[in-house]
Amino acid sequence: MSAHPAPQRDRVSLAALLFGIAAAPLFWLGQMMLGFGVTAYVCYPGDHPLPPPAPGALPGVLIGFDVVALIACAAGGIVSYRSWLLTRSEKAGSDSHALHTGEGRTRFMALWGIIASLWFFAAILFNTIASLTVSPCVI
């Protein structure tokens, strides 16, 4: 009889693992879609584009999307890191090697959540810089 591939699966809930993996990409996607939709509606509501709006609600809304996405991404990374800390010894002798073999499903999912959160945090941060520096309505 072989050992279970995730012997420490009871230490971390599946919901926490899925949140850690999915939060960053979903909020990045939401940031992109909501930002594009709001900007398109404000700048081009009909047949002809409007002149750039006066500074007001649009930059604030876009920054709000960006801040929420960054916070959710960081939360996913923190949950994944905590999950990884709880399960990093899932394979015997693997404490010093974060990327050992594929054994330890729970540990792998937590590590994948950390990596995804870092990459998408960078993507969201670059989108935030773009929304701060580039005019949303250019004619």
Side-chain angles (χ1 to χ4, degrees), residues 67-128:
V67 168
V68 168
L70 285 169
I71 290 171
C73 186
I78 291 168
V79 167
S80 291
Y81 182 70
R82 182 184 167 277
S83 300
W84 181 77
L85 286 177
L86 290 172
T87 61
R88 68 179 172 180
S89 63
E90 197 163 44
K91 182 177 183 300
S94 64
D95 285 336
S96 61
H97 303 289
L99 298 172
H100 202 62
T101 60
E103 296 179 32
R105 179 183 63 209
T106 311
R107 182 183 57 152
F108 172 78
M109 290 177 70
L111 190 59
W112 184 253
I114 293 169
I115 293 168
S117 295
L118 288 173
W119 278 105
F120 282 100
F121 189 88
I124 293 168
L125 188 61
F126 286 131
N127 287 337
T128 302

Side-chain angles (χ1 to χ4, degrees), residues 8-62:
Q8 296 178 355
R9 64 192 179 279
D10 59 334
R11 291 187 181 185
V12 180
S13 71
L14 182 61
L17 292 170
L18 292 177
F19 175 76
I21 291 172
L26 288 176
F27 274 89
W28 171 76
L29 186 63
Q31 177 205 29
M32 295 293 285
M33 291 190 316
L34 290 172
F36 178 79
V38 168
T39 302
Y41 180 75
V42 168
C43 298
Y44 200 85
D47 293 340
H48 302 289
L50 296 176
L58 181 62
V61 169
L62 294 177

